[in-house]
Amino acid sequence: MKEFKYFSPTKIIFGEGKFQEIANLLPSAKKIFVVTGKHSSKANGSLDSLKTLLKEKTLLIFDEVEENPGLETVNKGANIARKNEIELVIGLGGGSPMDAAKCIALLATNDGLMENYLNGEKNNSVPLPIIEIPTTAGTGSEVTQHAVITIGSHKKGFSNQEIFPKIAILDPMLTLSMPQNITVNTGVDALSHSIEGYLSILATQESDKVAIESIKIIKEELPKVVQDGKNIEARSHVLYASMLGGFVISRTRTIILHALGYPLTTFYRIPHGKANGAMLPWVFEFLKKGEHTNSPLQEKISSILEIFGDINKFINDLGISTKLSDYGITRDDIPRFVKDVWGRRNLEVTPKEVKQEDIENIYKKAL
Ligand code: NAP
Ligand code: FE
């Protein structure tokens, strides 16, 4: 049996309406920094609800987190937090505000800028406690030690055991307001986490069980949510599967698929999950090439394909094109995409050697 480590320090509160119980779930902190996006938490009422539910506390709202949060944003949020003797950080929103909340919690108790820590500097002090409240069902950030920060046109992953959230409140009601495209894109992100985690060289028998469960749920339930966005039961399942995907990548990290998707997001503003979906069939094709039919990798790929039948069709039926030219991407983009992908840590855990020309060929095929 393969050896493994298991560390999941996040207390999880899952269920319809659980957000309403937040006041009873919080530690005794009085001064709280709330990190959220620019629009959706106001439009769907979740930010106002949070203010009402925590009216006994002093809340400082930082509502400047953009999609794919930038360095400047987390540094700015951290400066405000530092000046205000914050005791606790809440991230409310999708992966972007949740990731920003983690970075701000770390910077609030440590000197310097986020770039120092992205470049490998170790923090001296323990970050502030973090509570994550997802309003998308995709990143699983509420249960991981990971955050992704964008520096110009490069997305950089950051992992630190100390930014595991203390509490994750998963209330599927908060995901009801997602329009169809965001539901699909974030759901496909969750799917890619579980697929990549299943194929990662860090996968274990334990993470495999969780990954397969998550993949099966998304296959069944995501199309139901697309058909009827008010289907709370299906929304619950997708949020649950997304959390499972978070458990998986907290152990296995993500592989070449996430790496290939990043430049699509930074250069063409294709949302994160959609970018993964667009590249998914091409990654399968690359991983399958030259493998013996009974190799362990081939067997794993076959078991995913058995669940889906045609995975390309599954992605296309959700409204995601798997042809890069449909997004305006051309051959001329490939060199800068390859440069962005080459050297990423994701390649180290990909279950097959990846050469620079492989990356180029995958993009060429995907055009
Ligand atoms: P997001 O960037 O947080 O949000 C996408 C869009 O959805 C935004 O316009 C947001 O609005 C809106 N939105 C969020 N919740 C909504 C709701 N309930 N109703 C209506 N609209 C809503 O998207 P995401 O896919 O969840 O997160 C993506 C980020 O997470 C990327 O930076 C990605 O790299 C990162 N990520 C992190 C991990 C990890 O392990 N930490 C894993 C995968 C991906 P507002 O902007 O107004 O809030
Ligand atoms: Fe992701």
Side-chain angles (χ1 to χ4, degrees):
M1 214 163 136
K2 196 171 170 185
E3 61 184 45
F4 69 96
K5 291 184 202 146
Y6 186 102
F7 183 59
S8 259
T10 306
K11 179 176 187 176
I12 292 160
I13 319 284
F14 186 101
E16 269 174 61
K18 289 295 174 200
F19 177 50
Q20 303 302 321
E21 297 171 21
I22 185 167
N24 308 326
L25 303 169
L26 289 194
S28 59
K30 280 262 164 292
K31 221 166 173 191
I32 300 175
F33 201 59
V34 178
V35 179
T36 191
K38 292 180 178 168
H39 310 287
S40 67
S41 64
K42 294 185 200 83
N44 63 26
S46 56
L47 184 58
D48 273 344
S49 299
L50 186 72
K51 288 181 190 164
T52 311
L53 293 164
L54 298 181
K55 58 183 184 306
E56 310 295 328
K57 312 269 191 189
T58 306
L59 300 190
L60 238 89
I61 313 289
F62 181 67
D63 59 358
E64 297 181 30
V65 183
E66 68 277 46
E67 285 181 48
N68 310 300
L71 267 182
E72 299 75 18
T73 306
V74 294
N75 285 329
K76 182 174 177 188
N79 273 334
I80 303 171
R82 282 168 178 158
K83 283 186 195 131
N84 286 280
E85 288 163 16
I86 297 295
E87 295 158 272
L88 175 80
V89 178
I90 295 183
L92 172 70
S96 298
M98 288 196 288
D99 283 0
K102 291 174 174 173
C103 297
I104 291 170
L106 181 134
L107 291 171
T109 55
N110 288 282
D111 294 333
L113 298 166
M114 193 59 210
E115 34 276 57
N116 304 125
Y117 299 99
L118 289 175
N119 288 332
E121 197 175 302
K122 293 277 169 274
N123 52 301
N124 292 316
S125 305
V126 177
L128 292 178
I130 302 156
I131 308 225
E132 299 285 25
I133 310 171
T135 66
T136 60
T139 68
S141 179
E142 68 278 6
V143 296
T144 73
Q145 72 281 42
H146 308 308
V148 186
I149 297 300
T150 301
I151 312 159
S153 59
H154 186 73
K155 294 196 70 154
K156 194 155 167 65
F158 173 72
S159 304
N160 181 326
Q161 299 272 339
E162 294 184 345
I163 60 169
F164 263 117
K166 285 278 175 292
I167 306 178
I169 303 174
L170 292 103
D171 185 340
M173 303 286 280
L174 296 177
T175 68
L176 280 173
S177 56
M178 271 193 287
Q180 198 184 88
N181 59 339
I182 297 177
T183 302
V184 165
N185 297 340
T186 54
V188 170
D189 186 29
L191 175 64
S192 64
H193 295 155
S194 294
I195 290 180
E196 288 175 74
Y198 184 61
L199 299 174
S200 161
I201 63 164
L202 300 177
T204 66
Q205 52 274 33
E206 178 268 332
S207 65
D208 281 355
K209 288 266 186 247
V210 181
I212 287 292
E213 178 67 4
S214 165
I215 293 167
K216 284 183 177 163
I217 295 173
I218 295 168
K219 150 83 177 26
E220 285 308 311
E221 305 292 334
L222 187 57
K224 291 187 199 164
V225 183
V226 171
Q227 216 172 38
D228 173 14
K230 296 282 163 258
N231 183 342
I232 188 70
E233 190 58 26
R235 288 260 189 216
S236 302
H237 284 293
V238 177
L239 183 62
Y240 172 70
S242 153
M243 176 197 75
L244 296 183
F247 287 150
V248 173
I249 59 166
S250 75
R251 325 222 181 299
T252 64
R253 316 211 305 249
T254 55
I255 64 167
I256 187 175
L257 177 55
H258 262 61
L260 293 169
Y262 287 147
L264 273 56
T265 299
T266 52
F267 291 113
Y268 276 86
R269 304 200 146 272
I270 301 173
H272 172 65
K274 189 175 197 174
N276 295 337
M279 294 309 300
L280 185 66
W282 310 106
V283 167
F284 272 125
E285 195 181 296
F286 165 69
L287 293 176
K288 276 196 300 193
K289 208 174 65 194
E291 282 289 315
H292 284 294
T293 44
N294 57 355
S295 77
L297 173 59
Q298 184 59 55
E299 277 178 7
K300 279 196 154 184
I301 292 176
S302 300
S303 43
I304 297 171
L305 296 179
E306 252 167 51
I307 296 171
F308 284 94
D310 184 347
I311 198 157
N312 205 344
K313 184 173 183 308
F314 180 81
I315 300 287
N316 292 155
D317 286 351
L318 290 169
I320 296 180
S321 168
T322 45
K323 256 174 79 75
L324 297 189
S325 52
D326 286 346
Y327 301 96
I329 295 168
T330 68
R331 280 183 93 84
D332 296 344
D333 290 306
I334 293 178
R336 58 178 180 167
F337 285 12
V338 174
K339 196 163 165 243
D340 187 84
V341 174
W342 186 240
R344 281 192 179 276
R345 287 176 70 226
N346 307 53
L347 305 183
E348 295 163 12
V349 294
T350 298
K352 187 172 196 169
E353 192 199 344
V354 184
K355 298 194 209 68
Q356 213 165 336
E357 67 199 56
D358 294 324
I359 303 169
E360 194 181 325
N361 286 334
I362 297 172
Y363 280 129
K364 274 188 191 153
K365 285 201 168 149
L367 278 177

